[in-house]
């Protein structure tokens, strides 16, 4: 009974206080995108403009084998697309540069390309015509979805033509019995999920950028997100794709069935290929039943060992209803609090916090399981304190303490971001080690003399996926020297991944060797060459791919680049 | 209240009767492999011997570019493997042919090869040495796991050397926090699952052949099985593989983490490649928590429309605890009953039966959900009758009415098996249509004059995966003429898959065009050529794959075969 009382003391009053606080404003009526408005409320950072990527990476040189855009090219594209499809052409409109900026620059203002033409195809056939033509004319291209990436993958480096998919945004079919959805690649994740909500289903992926990102981009970058622990990887949930290959060939692998064991599962190569071997134009995906009951708990813990224990217990006791297990260190929550007004969900400070979400078909059952779990981990002293959201507002507010981190960290000027996988036991050690090195180098402090505001860690505990973030007042070489290659070497030693879910893009292109062996990288280069070889004879590839290797004989080895037109300068 | 009473009447008495029946013997103490022993209890079919595959497929010709096995080759293999690793060598032991039979012949007695050498490597390095040597000497090979396949993929056609993986059967590691398991490819599925059971986890795949099949073979054939609806596809749950490529290169992609977005996800190509681009030697896989509570219900329905309704309701109401939804038509159950002694689970005959399994962490909650679901579907008259297993024995017995089908159907002499995916609405129409055609042709009947005993359908409703089975007294051309290409054309018209989970092997090799378009098949051929080109210069490939395309220049186009040594004559 003693333990029971203790748990009740720990949980109930906090829950009650939380309810009261709703009226009093402590629980701010936060939406899932709370952090954005919060940072806007405070003194904003000066508007940032990205440096040209070519300035940041002076070693990158334009491949002069690519053609320069001519009026003849533009005329062709206009003919194919009509006026609505050729978004902006430099020199044609007076404010072309400003119009082009959203397509040339990433949202973190880290990468900026110099494209002069953005094409917005409205159909798979138009994408095919564009790529066939670009291949013939040797015009480099960059496919672009919602442009929400973090590694510079979706913006040009030089003058590559941007092929923006936003006009291909139709939902084609949904089978309410099987749960299979077919939609255009340019559909916005949140829109698709909203459509599915009406049908009692859910898109098997959720992430902070859902209001802007495209589902095609989600596939191309193999996005993981917040609920991978429940709904698994896109490699498992994607049923099929339609893609246009670099030579314009349309690959129709758009099955709507869960099982098709007839040959190599080629669609898998496009999932995570970051637009280097084709443009995904349509997506078929298995959508699970939407849960009618969702609960969120937020708790404090005194060590990472206890976080691991809590995770094990949650997996065991919440099992099939566990839909998220997120980790946030105390330092990240303190920085969020410095940017946001309002109190933190828990009274005291804790070295670690976790957010648990359950999703199930019976609210009573789920709440009973969650309560039993929390009682158990309180009794065992695995967690120090905790609250459970009592309504939708509180639920969203609790989530905002996790989802608000990235935006809040940028408040002081910038963030060095590492999105890495590390075996779960050692997952947090990286934050401690990097923190110690920054302190040693005298880079961390409260004043402007110190570039670093803080070194924090948070992420998807359920997926061994840590976001190591270094919040800075300015990007500075001294900081970078501490970080790289130290972070990569640290991860490689533990057989982790230097890019868990953000991909390679430009940012990680040169570091792939830390996570893949030479044999694997060699094979990847051959796959790229197979799909996107330098085009020689100005004709489409069609079904005669095998003949094409003959064409290559006509080149000398050293004049033969590995890569063709698709998203050059990036990936492998 | 009326409906409540009605449901209670429908469910309770049956459950009670079932309990009583346990004592009386109506519920036979069946295990999951019940069907095997059941069929053995009855008059056994005469022992069958497979015809040579070359007799069944006279158009297949041995590729004379492959070397003939010599004593020098055998001496090399003995040196590499020692005596324990060279299983059987024709001519060395007196009863070589009998010893070789289990490796030459599939368990359905449909395919029989003529290999004279079986190698059983004990390590990845040994596999590497074998393949490197075979590549140099142009010796064709067939990788073999538990040899439980259904399409002739795991046995040789001519004299290919069998590389049997049964000696590589160690479990290397299991992380109880993350749930990641690393094990040798030759581990038997049931053994691995037993190991995981002790750790409170489950292998994310289950199928009838679990007592014999290897997990490496499961990956190579992308097995789906009974619980794909819950645990998803291997493309989602496999974390990494170690594989030896045809030239002996060891590809180490054996990560244990759920996220690694650094380049093309090449391991995916091996999942479902049926051993044509390498031999999987180790597997890293994400294992879910094992459910402490498992319930099984079995019910009868009057139409396939009602089956679909029941499936929708089950998905909606049982949602996160639903772990299997299996379909069996009345005809299949009648045939099973003719072979087995004992009564069927339900008193009356029904056109369709479904088996539902729930797995969850709280037995009370699960039973409440299941009961509410059954009450609902009874009230709505979606199901006609039903029982719920009251204990483990009944649970296994109910499962045996589903899992016993394949063995029982073989009782009369043989079975034509089609494992196909069809959009769920039309899924059962195939059985009706084939049935009608067989009747029309006068092939179905009770006497020996009729080759066909019955045309039945069953399968994984949750995955739109139908097993169309034609039980026959003998394999006869008249039956085959009705079946093919009719079945394939029927499926292609509905964008289904001609092989949902059994793969291509020899059986479906020539029919891939019914489920894949030319562009996709062309790419597959190029992938095969990339991984397994005809070897020219007697040196390993290592990291110099790109250089190798140079070597190909030395060949004339028409002397260049697409395929190298790995599992020739099959797949694409």
């Amino acid at each position: 009974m003693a333990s029971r009382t203790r748990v009740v003391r720990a949980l109930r009053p906090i829950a009650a206080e939380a309810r009261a606080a709703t009226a009093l404003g402590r629980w701010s009526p936060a939406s899932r995108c709370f952090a954005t408005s919060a940072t806007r409320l405070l003194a904003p950072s000066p508007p940032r403009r990205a440096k040209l990527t070519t300035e940041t990476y002076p070693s990158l040189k334009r491949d002069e084998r690519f053609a320069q855009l001519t009026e003849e090219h533009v005329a062709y594209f206009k003919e194919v697309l009509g006026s609505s499809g050729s978004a902006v052409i430099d020199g044609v409109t007076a404010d072309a540069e400003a119009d082009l900026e959203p397509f040339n620059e990433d949202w973190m203002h880290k990468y900026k390309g110099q494209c002069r033409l953005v094409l917005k195809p409205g159909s798979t056939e138009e994408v095919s015509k564009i790529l066939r033509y670009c291949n013939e004319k040797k015009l480099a291209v960059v496919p672009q979805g919602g442009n929400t990436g973090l590694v510079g993958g979706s913006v040009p480096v030089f003058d590559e033509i941007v092929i923006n998919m936003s006009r291909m945004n139709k939902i084609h079919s949904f089978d309410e019995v099987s749960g299979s959805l077919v939609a255009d690649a340019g559909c916005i994740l949140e829109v698709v999920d909203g459509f599915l909500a009406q049908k009692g289903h859910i898109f098997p992926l959720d992430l902070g950028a859902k209001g802007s990102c495209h589902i095609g981009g989600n596939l191309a970058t193999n996005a993981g997100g917040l609920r991978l622990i429940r709904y698994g990887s896109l490699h498992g949930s994607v049923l099929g794709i339609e893609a246009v290959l670099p030579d314009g060939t349309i690959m129709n692998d758009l099955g709507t069935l869960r099982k098709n064991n007839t040959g190599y599962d080629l669609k898998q190569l496009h999932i995570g290929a970051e637009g280097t071997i084709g443009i995904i134009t349509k997506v078929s995906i298995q959508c699970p039943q939407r849960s009618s009951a969702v609960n969120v708990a937020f708790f404090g813990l005194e060590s990472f060992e206890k976080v691991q224990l809590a995770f094990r217990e949650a997996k065991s006791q919440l099992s099939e209803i566990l839909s998220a297990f997120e980790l946030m260190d105390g330092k990240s929550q303190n920085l969020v609090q410095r940017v946001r007004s309002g109190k933190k969900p828990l009274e005291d400070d804790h070295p670690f916090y976790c957010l648990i979400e359950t999703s199930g078909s019976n609210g009573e059952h789920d709440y009973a399981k969650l309560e039993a779990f929390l009682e158990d981990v309180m009794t065992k002293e695995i967690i120090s304190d905790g609250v459970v959201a009592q309504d939708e507002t509180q639920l969203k507010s609790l989530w905002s303490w996790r989802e608000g981190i990235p935006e809040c960290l940028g408040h002081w000027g910038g963030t060095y971001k590492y999105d890495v996988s590390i075996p779960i036991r050692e997952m947090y050690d990286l934050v401690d080690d990097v923190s110690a090195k920054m302190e040693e180098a005298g880079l961390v402090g409260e004043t402007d003399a110190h570039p670093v505001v803080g070194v924090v860690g948070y992420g998807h505990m359920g997926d061994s996926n840590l976001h190591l973030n270094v919040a800075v007042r300015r990007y500075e070489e001294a900081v970078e020297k501490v970080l790289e290659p130290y972070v990569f070497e640290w991860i490689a030693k533990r057989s982790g991944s230097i890019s868990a879910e953000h991909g390679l893009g430009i940012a990680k292109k040169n570091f792939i060797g830390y996570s893949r062996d030479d044999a694997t990288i060699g094979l990847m280069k051959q796959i790229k060459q197979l799909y996107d070889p330098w085009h020689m004879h100005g004709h489409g590839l069609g079904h005669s791919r095998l003949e094409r290797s003959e064409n290559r004989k006509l080149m000398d080895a050293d004049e033969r680049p590995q890569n063709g037109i698709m998203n050059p300068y990036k990936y492998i």
Side-chain angles (χ1 to χ4, degrees), chain A:
Chain A
M1 275 314 289
S3 69
R4 173 91 200 162
T5 318
R6 182 157 163 247
V7 173
V8 171
R9 190 159 34 95
L11 277 177
R12 295 293 183 202
I14 291 166
E17 188 192 340
R19 262 197 304 279
T22 312
L24 296 169
R26 177 186 155 194
W27 290 84
S28 38
S31 77
R32 289 285 291 279
C33 52
F34 170 85
T36 312
S37 47
T39 41
R40 279 191 194 138
L41 286 175
L42 297 170
S45 311
R48 279 178 288 167
R49 293 287 293 274
K51 277 199 294 189
L52 286 177
T53 303
T54 49
E55 289 170 34
T56 315
Y57 296 85
S59 62
L60 281 175
K61 300 293 173 211
R62 186 181 184 282
D63 187 334
E64 291 308 329
R65 281 167 296 200
F66 288 124
Q68 300 278 355
L69 192 68
T70 67
E71 280 180 26
E72 185 195 330
H73 301 146
V74 173
Y76 175 81
F77 293 126
K78 280 192 169 170
E79 188 195 314
V80 170
L81 301 179
S83 56
S84 59
S86 306
V88 193
I89 300 159
D90 191 14
V92 174
T93 58
D95 50 357
E97 201 186 336
D99 288 351
L100 284 163
E101 197 178 279
F103 305 97
N104 263 325
E105 197 168 321
D106 75 312
W107 71 277
M108 293 279 291
H109 310 290
K110 274 197 173 160
Y111 306 94
K112 187 173 180 177
Q114 303 160 56
C115 91
R116 295 162 49 214
L117 177 66
V118 176
L119 302 177
K120 295 187 174 181
S123 69
T124 303
E125 290 64 35
E126 288 180 4
V127 175
S128 172
K129 281 181 189 164
I130 291 170
L131 285 185
R132 192 179 302 273
Y133 185 81
C134 288
N135 213 330
E136 279 176 24
K137 302 297 181 188
K138 300 186 182 54
L139 290 161
V141 302
V142 172
Q144 186 176 77
N147 196 12
T148 60
L150 287 161
V151 292
S154 54
V155 288
V157 175
F158 296 98
D159 58 347
E160 303 95 282
I161 295 170
V162 168
I163 302 180
N164 182 289
M165 298 298 287
S166 54
R167 275 182 68 223
M168 289 188 66
N169 58 3
K170 287 183 201 64
I171 293 171
H172 292 277
S173 67
F174 178 67
D175 184 323
E176 299 198 30
V177 181
S178 71
S180 66
L181 171 96
V182 178
D184 279 349
C187 289
I188 287 171
L189 175 56
E190 197 167 51
V191 172
V192 176
D193 192 55
F195 166 85
L196 287 166
Q198 292 168 11
K199 308 280 184 184
H201 284 70
I202 188 171
F203 199 87
L205 171 75
D206 189 16
L207 40 77
K210 70 192 293 183
S212 314
C213 63
H214 293 185
I215 60 170
N218 294 150
L219 263 68
T221 55
N222 187 27
L226 298 162
R227 292 190 184 80
L228 189 129
I229 190 176
R230 174 67 166 269
Y231 301 119
S233 144
L234 289 173
H235 285 290
S237 52
V238 170
L239 301 173
I241 61 167
E242 177 193 78
V244 181
L245 304 185
D247 69 345
T249 304
I250 297 171
M251 190 182 83
N252 180 356
D253 187 11
L254 198 64
T256 59
L257 301 166
R258 294 194 77 164
K259 292 175 173 174
N260 183 9
N261 276 350
T262 52
Y264 306 116
D265 195 353
L266 296 183
K267 69 172 178 289
Q268 302 289 354
L269 288 179
H270 289 266
I271 299 175
E274 300 181 34
T276 57
I277 57 171
I279 298 185
I280 297 170
T281 45
K282 288 194 184 74
V283 175
S284 169
I285 191 161
Q286 182 71 31
C287 301
Q289 203 71 22
R290 203 174 196 90
S291 298
S292 53
V294 177
N295 288 304
V296 168
F298 188 101
F299 46 83
L301 311 94
E302 68 187 30
S303 68
F304 189 67
E305 283 64 44
K306 299 225 162 164
V307 173
Q308 292 179 64
L309 288 174
F311 178 54
R312 276 185 74 163
E313 291 299 335
K315 281 215 315 173
S316 164
Q317 297 181 42
L318 301 173
S319 194
E320 71 276 6
I321 61 167
L322 186 64
S323 56
F325 194 113
E326 295 289 303
L327 165 76
M328 301 138 286
D329 65 4
K331 294 187 289 179
S332 72
Q333 295 298 283
N334 289 339
L335 290 183
V336 171
Q337 199 189 14
R338 279 170 65 181
V339 177
R340 294 166 61 156
S341 52
K343 284 184 192 170
K344 291 193 292 182
L346 302 177
E347 200 74 13
D348 300 325
D349 279 345
H350 303 271
F352 292 93
Y353 300 90
C354 290
L355 182 151
I356 280 188
E357 185 191 75
T358 66
S359 306
S361 55
N362 184 312
E364 258 176 62
H365 290 171
D366 292 3
Y367 201 85
K369 286 189 183 96
L370 184 58
E371 208 167 33
F373 160 74
L374 290 170
E375 189 175 317
D376 182 62
V377 288
M378 284 296 286
T379 308
K380 291 178 180 160
E381 297 186 353
I382 292 172
I383 70 171
S384 313
D385 194 4
V387 287
V388 181
Q390 302 293 320
D391 57 34
E392 181 74 8
T393 308
Q394 290 182 7
L395 186 149
K396 285 180 174 170
S397 177
L398 289 181
W399 260 116
S400 80
W401 283 91
R402 161 64 186 86
E403 291 199 282
I405 301 173
E407 298 250 8
C408 288
L409 290 184
H411 171 70
W412 288 269
T415 316
Y416 291 100
K417 299 175 92 67
Y418 294 88
D419 160 55
V420 301
S421 284
I422 302 166
I424 206 157
R425 281 168 221 283
E426 301 179 87
M427 187 172 146
Y428 194 76
D429 294 349
L430 177 62
V431 183
D432 285 337
D433 290 356
V434 169
S435 227
K437 282 186 79 78
M438 288 290 173
E439 295 280 357
E440 262 170 46
L443 295 165
V444 193
E446 290 298 313
T447 66
D448 201 51
H450 301 91
V452 177
V453 179
V455 178
V456 311
Y458 60 99
H460 315 296
M461 184 76 185
D463 321 327
S464 290
N465 182 184
L466 177 80
H467 297 314
L468 167 72
N469 278 209
V470 182
V472 292
R473 297 186 172 87
R474 57 197 170 265
Y475 295 121
E476 217 177 89
E477 213 182 327
V479 180
E480 284 153 30
K481 277 194 173 161
V482 172
L483 288 169
E484 291 181 20
Y486 176 76
V487 169
F488 298 134
E489 285 169 356
W490 195 100
I491 291 159
K493 262 183 220 156
R494 286 150 185 93
S495 305
S497 168
I498 61 155
S499 189
E501 52 176 9
H502 294 171
L504 292 170
I506 279 189
K508 307 282 177 75
K509 175 188 165 77
N510 294 329
F511 305 111
I512 184 174
Y514 286 103
S515 288
R516 300 286 191 185
D517 67 11
D518 287 351
T520 306
I521 296 169
L523 273 167
M524 287 181 189
K525 287 186 172 165
Q526 289 203 292
I527 294 282
K528 167 70 175 169
Q529 196 184 24
L530 173 65
Y531 276 82
D532 187 24
W534 194 255
H535 192 75
M536 288 301 294
H537 293 288
H539 61 71
L541 183 57
H543 304 160
S544 58
R545 296 200 143 244
L546 282 170
E547 292 158 32
R548 176 117 115 214
S549 55
E550 299 298 314
N551 299 339
R552 287 196 214 125
K553 287 186 191 173
L554 304 174
M555 287 187 284
D556 289 331
D558 51 348
E559 82 173 87
R560 183 193 319 149
Q562 281 173 17
N563 297 349
I565 59 161
M566 293 289 296
N567 221 349
Y569 317 116
K570 302 173 191 168
Y571 208 65
I572 54 161

